[in-house]
Amino acid sequence: MNLVQEGLALGIPAPGPDAHQRPSAARIHRMWFGTEGALPADEDLARKILSAFPCEPAAAKINRAHHLLITEALAARGISQVLDIGCGDALPRPQSGDGLLFAQNTHDVVQQHSRSASVIYVDIDHDVVARRRSLLDHAPTASRPKAVLADVTDMARLLTRLVADGHLTHDRPVAALLHDVLPWIPDDARVRDALAYLRTWLPPGSALAITHATADFSPTWVERVQDVYGEEGIAFRPLDRQSITSLFGDWGDLYGGPVRTVPTARHQRNHPFATVPDYVSAAYAGVAIKPQ
């Protein structure tokens, strides 16, 4: 079964014949890290985004650095099952420079703590999953990471499938990472239902990590970006702090007390962009732990 057939069996439409002529949020995200391979439509939309919000590349790097720091923190905590939901494209590994930090993959970080850790990448984009699988075919790990095509709003089907395939077990904690994925889902109700199901399903001691775009710090700029994406038919849905915090339910914070929902660059004290103004993050981050 090829990837298109796999998607159709899961209710995910096949890419249309013009898919590679339209801009892709995943490919544009790669552009902010200097990665080649963008199409003319991507480059045109990227120029419009930069005109609306010049800090967009910095915001993407802030989010990526946070992702790696949180992955490290949860792996160090002993969590050895990781779901990278809405994983996006892998970034190529440069030979030197700051790009070395951003080019680390989730499994690179996790398996420094446990070579047998289970890492599952999940995305709805056929091209993203195909590239992930190509990369993972050569991953030198004791427990090879998996890349799964799935609609994350159909959380019950995703989790049932992962257990049935032996990728996840329900007897030990799981880290569910949803970093910069929920803003791209246009249906609020489906997002909330999916997160509620995920929180119920996850075993005690599991972690839920979310970053989510917001207009709280720079409403004019972020609303302009939303309009730019909307003109291309790409859903982009920033939320306010209270709405994002509600996605964690009644779970407590990773470091104790009520869950903290703070500008992404300020969530971890060792974040390399910790001193930048909040409007550069243009997003909130939070990490919560399911009570025992």
Side-chain angles (χ1 to χ4, degrees):
M1 181 183 296
N2 63 34
L3 197 54
V4 170
Q5 293 170 328
E6 181 181 331
L8 291 174
L10 297 169
I12 299 172
D18 64 340
H20 290 284
Q21 299 173 11
R22 292 183 283 109
S24 158
R27 290 193 302 266
I28 290 171
H29 181 267
R30 287 163 55 91
M31 289 179 63
W32 307 140
F33 295 87
T35 301
E36 297 180 355
L39 303 179
D42 301 321
E43 293 172 350
D44 181 58
L45 182 53
R47 282 191 292 269
K48 294 177 181 177
I49 294 167
L50 286 174
S51 178
F53 183 42
C55 297
E56 186 67 28
K61 291 175 182 177
I62 287 170
N63 185 75
R64 184 62 183 170
H66 173 80
H67 173 86
L68 297 171
L69 288 169
I70 288 302
T71 301
E72 166 68 27
L74 296 175
R77 189 182 176 96
I79 297 179
S80 58
Q81 297 189 105
V82 178
L83 270 175
D84 189 347
I85 301 176
C87 60
D89 272 337
L91 298 172
R93 189 177 297 279
Q95 298 302 310
S96 62
D98 294 340
L100 285 170
L101 166 65
F102 300 116
Q104 290 184 89
N105 291 286
T106 304
H107 68 270
D108 294 327
V109 177
V110 174
Q111 293 178 340
Q112 290 176 15
H113 292 269
S114 172
R115 294 292 290 172
S116 61
S118 177
V119 179
I120 303 101
Y121 296 97
V122 181
D123 210 284
I124 197 171
D125 188 308
H126 289 72
D127 287 343
V128 166
V129 173
R131 282 191 286 269
R132 282 280 178 182
R133 288 181 177 176
S134 177
L135 170 72
L136 297 176
D137 282 344
H138 306 289
T141 63
S143 178
R144 180 154 294 164
K146 305 294 187 297
V148 175
L149 184 71
D151 179 351
V152 301
T153 64
D154 193 352
M155 193 63 72
R157 174 181 277 185
L158 168 62
L159 295 172
T160 299
R161 175 183 168 202
L162 293 177
V163 172
D165 291 346
H167 299 331
L168 279 184
T169 66
H170 204 257
D171 60 354
R172 54 198 172 96
V174 177
L177 312 177
L178 293 103
H179 291 152
D180 191 32
V181 55
L182 301 179
W184 306 98
I185 302 172
D187 191 325
D188 280 328
R190 293 196 70 182
V191 167
R192 294 190 178 282
D193 288 347
L195 267 291
Y197 188 94
L198 177 63
R199 292 195 309 269
T200 300
W201 184 93
L202 287 170
S206 292
L208 176 60
I210 296 172
T211 64
H212 201 297
T214 186
D216 285 0
F217 316 125
S218 50
T220 301
W221 280 355
V222 174
E223 287 166 10
R224 285 175 181 169
V225 170
Q226 190 174 14
D227 289 343
V228 168
Y229 276 119
E231 289 170 1
E232 296 292 340
I234 299 174
F236 177 64
R237 183 185 51 88
L239 293 178
D240 62 28
R241 182 179 183 180
Q242 182 176 356
S243 298
I244 296 167
T245 302
S246 69
L247 298 173
F248 294 100
D250 60 356
W251 292 17
D253 192 77
L254 171 64
Y255 300 114
V259 67
R260 296 178 307 124
T261 309
V262 299
T264 307
R266 292 200 284 115
H267 190 276
Q268 296 295 100
R269 277 187 272 181
N270 56 337
H271 195 292
F273 292 88
T275 60
V276 303
D278 293 343
Y279 69 80
V280 180
S281 291
Y284 286 112
V287 185
I289 301 295
K290 185 169 186 175
Q292 295 288 343

